[in-house]
């Protein structure tokens, strides 16, 4: 068996002891896991080393939804009563139906510790004035992020989404040094300013923290955002059901490192077989999380759907990763897996011939799509000959992604923008 290798060496013994205690008490706290373990003929006694975690069954998002439907509001997996919960967040996934995530006081403290560690890794300091231009309500990237920045000592400006003019006012008057948002919004805000005759670089931001969707790690997309703002981008990665931010990118490095400490155990697994993969340079797989000391929603081997690649292994032995897509977003074209974010990065690299904005138009909901794959691409200010540009985009997609595409060039501003997560696909009406 493969040992999960994302925990720091100094944490591994502590993680093992905490997780063993968690598993021993879980069947009594959670009817969901009592049944799951019995179904698979496994007991907590089987956990005698970190390698043994692979013997335990996976938990999936649909299972959690069914659990909450069977025993509302928090579900049969909750592990704690609502009276012990100090805050409730939600994740919507692809169905749009909220999935409630309860947080006890101890859970909230652990979240603050993990998220603060992630943002420190990403470059945040007590001298920063941070505009938060992401969700603030049920979104786990809202209040827990506020708690983390306050723990760091940064000045936090909680603006949220749908208020770009307030963001601009704050940046102009408060000495803002950093923006926290989705990658889509960082680009959107730059376009918003340029449409008003302003150069984003004039605001003097020193850092841009992004997360919540793929994009921050796409080379062309990132280079475009950094060029627009004149500031480095660092990204974080988390999961609403486990913790808001569990990976953070140290400035100047090649990927995100695990920052969850002793609270979460991470595995990399083959998305199809479920087998554990050694997180060595070049390895690709799906992230799976196990909560080590969670009171409410203590998940075991939760399949996140986040597809990542290990970009390198740092000198301290920690794997660095980039997220290149989600299983929910993946399209399958004649057996070839295609992530819309990969198409966006190819098109972004053609700026200024294109604006970088794309949308994949599907005849019916995926993931299976018959070729050619229709892609709407906005032409840019230096588009040149449209017929030649169309061929160039189609040829590039086919050469790089092994998929035949039919590209439709559309005017700048035609593709939907978002102040949260940009939707890269739509079903043709």
């Amino acid at each position: 068996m493969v040992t999960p290798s994302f925990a720091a060496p100094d944490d591994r013994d502590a993680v093992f002891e905490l997780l063993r205690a968690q598993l021993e008490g879980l069947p009594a706290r959670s009817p969901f896991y009592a049944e799951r373990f019995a179904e698979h003929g496994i007991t907590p006694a089987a956990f005698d080393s970190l390698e043994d975690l692979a013997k335990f069954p996976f938990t999936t998002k649909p299972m959690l939804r069914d659990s909450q439907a069977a025993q509302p509001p928090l579900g049969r997996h909750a592990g704690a009563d609502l009276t012990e919960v100090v805050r409730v967040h939600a994740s919507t996934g692809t169905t749009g139906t909220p999935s409630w995530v309860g947080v006890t006081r101890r859970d909230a403290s652990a979240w603050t510790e993990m998220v603060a560690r992630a943002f420190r890794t990403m470059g945040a300091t007590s001298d920063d004035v941070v505009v938060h231009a992401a969700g603030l309500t049920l979104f786990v990237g809202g209040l827990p992020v506020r708690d983390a920045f306050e723990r760091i000592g940064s000045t936090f400006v909680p603006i949220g989404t749908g208020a770009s003019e307030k963001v601009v006012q704050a940046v102009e008057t408060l000495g803002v040094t950093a923006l926290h948002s989705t990658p889509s919004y960082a680009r959107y805000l730059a376009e918003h300013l340029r449409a008003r005759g302003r150069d984003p670089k004039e605001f003097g931001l020193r850092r841009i923290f992004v997360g919540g969707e793929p994009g921050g790690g796409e080379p062309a997309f990132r280079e475009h955002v950094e060029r627009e703002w004149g500031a480095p981008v660092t990204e974080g990665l988390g999961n609403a059901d486990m913790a808001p931010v569990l990976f953070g990118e140290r400035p100047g490095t090649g990927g995100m490192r695990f920052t969850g400490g002793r609270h979460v155990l991470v595995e990399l697994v083959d998305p199809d077989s479920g087998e554990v993969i050694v997180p060595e340079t070049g390895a690709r797989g799906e992230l799976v999380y196990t909560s080590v000391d969670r009171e409410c929603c203590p998940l075991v081997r939760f399949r996140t759907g986040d597809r990542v690649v290990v970009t390198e292994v740092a000198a301290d032995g920690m794997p660095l990763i980039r997220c290149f897509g989600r299983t929910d977003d993946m399209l399958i074209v004649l057996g070839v897996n295609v992530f819309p974010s990969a198409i966006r990065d190819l098109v972004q690299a053609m700026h200024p011939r294109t604006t970088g904005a794309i949308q994949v138009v599907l005849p019916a909901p995926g993931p299976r799509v018959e070729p050619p794959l229709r892609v709407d691409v906005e032409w840019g200010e230096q588009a040149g000959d449209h017929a030649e540009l169309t061929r160039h985009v189609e040829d590039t997609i086919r050469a790089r992604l092994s998929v035949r595409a039919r590209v439709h060039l559309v005017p700048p501003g035609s593709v939907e923008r978002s102040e949260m997560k940009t939707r890269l696909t739509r079903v043709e009406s």
Side-chain angles (χ1 to χ4, degrees), residues 269-338:
V269 307
D270 182 284
D272 299 317
S273 70
E275 292 297 316
V276 179
I277 298 171
V278 177
E280 57 193 5
T281 302
R284 288 174 175 259
E286 177 185 356
L287 291 176
V288 171
Y289 296 148
T290 296
S291 52
V292 171
D293 57 356
R294 185 81 169 264
E295 291 185 326
C296 192
C297 307
L299 304 184
V300 176
R301 304 199 79 200
F302 178 68
R303 297 191 65 152
T304 66
D306 289 327
R307 301 287 191 93
V308 304
V309 58
V310 178
T311 55
E312 63 180 276
V313 176
D316 61 359
M318 187 68 75
L320 305 185
I321 65 166
R322 292 283 188 213
C323 181
F324 58 82
R326 286 189 47 78
T327 301
D328 294 341
D329 301 328
M330 187 180 74
L331 302 174
I332 304 173
V333 186
L334 291 182
V336 176
N337 296 342
V338 180

Side-chain angles (χ1 to χ4, degrees), residues 165-370:
E165 290 303 326
K166 289 183 179 178
V167 172
V168 174
Q169 290 172 359
V171 172
E172 287 181 320
T173 61
L174 291 176
V176 169
T177 63
L179 170 70
H180 175 236
S181 71
T182 62
S184 295
Y185 184 71
R187 183 172 73 174
Y188 172 92
L189 184 60
E191 291 180 348
H192 176 85
L193 290 168
R194 289 202 178 278
R196 286 153 181 76
R198 307 289 297 274
D199 182 348
K201 288 192 287 293
E202 75 182 64
F203 294 94
L205 292 187
R206 298 201 298 263
R207 318 181 213 285
I208 299 176
F209 305 122
V210 299
E213 63 175 3
E218 297 167 17
F221 191 97
R222 170 184 289 233
E223 288 169 12
H224 177 78
V225 172
E226 290 184 335
R227 187 166 56 246
E228 286 287 270
W229 288 99
V233 170
T234 51
E235 66 170 340
L237 176 69
N239 175 272
D241 293 286
M242 185 57 63
V245 194
L246 284 163
F247 285 83
E249 176 185 7
R250 188 169 289 165
T253 59
M256 296 176 285
R257 62 172 43 233
F258 177 61
T259 54
R262 300 179 179 183
H263 299 292
V264 177
L265 191 65
V266 182
E267 298 171 272
L268 187 67
V269 307
D270 182 284
D272 299 317
S273 70
E275 292 297 316
V276 179
I277 298 171
V278 177
E280 57 193 5
T281 302
R284 288 174 175 259
E286 177 185 356
L287 291 176
V288 171
Y289 296 148
T290 296
S291 52
V292 171
D293 57 356
R294 185 81 169 264
E295 291 185 326
C296 192
C297 307
L299 304 184
V300 176
R301 304 199 79 200
F302 178 68
R303 297 191 65 152
T304 66
D306 289 327
R307 301 287 191 93
V308 304
V309 58
V310 178
T311 55
E312 63 180 276
V313 176
D316 61 359
M318 187 68 75
L320 305 185
I321 65 166
R322 292 283 188 213
C323 181
F324 58 82
R326 286 189 47 78
T327 301
D328 294 341
D329 301 328
M330 187 180 74
L331 302 174
I332 304 173
V333 186
L334 291 182
V336 176
N337 296 342
V338 180
F339 291 91
S341 56
I343 298 174
R344 176 177 63 181
D345 198 50
L346 292 180
V347 173
Q348 183 68 67
M350 299 174 191
H351 182 272
R353 296 198 70 189
T354 71
T355 67
I358 67 104
Q359 193 164 62
V360 178
V361 182
L362 305 174
R368 299 193 181 279
V369 186
E370 291 297 316

Side-chain angles (χ1 to χ4, degrees), residues 11-24 47 50 292:
D11 288 337
R12 293 173 67 79
D13 289 343
V15 165
F16 169 72
E17 293 298 336
L18 288 167
L19 183 52
R20 181 165 61 177
Q22 173 100 307
L23 291 172
E24 286 174 351
F47 185 71
L50 291 180
V292 171

Side-chain angles (χ1 to χ4, degrees), residues 51-68:
E51 289 93 335
D52 290 332
L53 185 60
K55 299 176 181 178
F56 288 76
F58 290 116
T59 304
T60 66
K61 189 68 175 182
M63 290 178 188
L64 300 186
R65 292 190 184 283
D66 291 345
S67 167
Q68 291 198 346

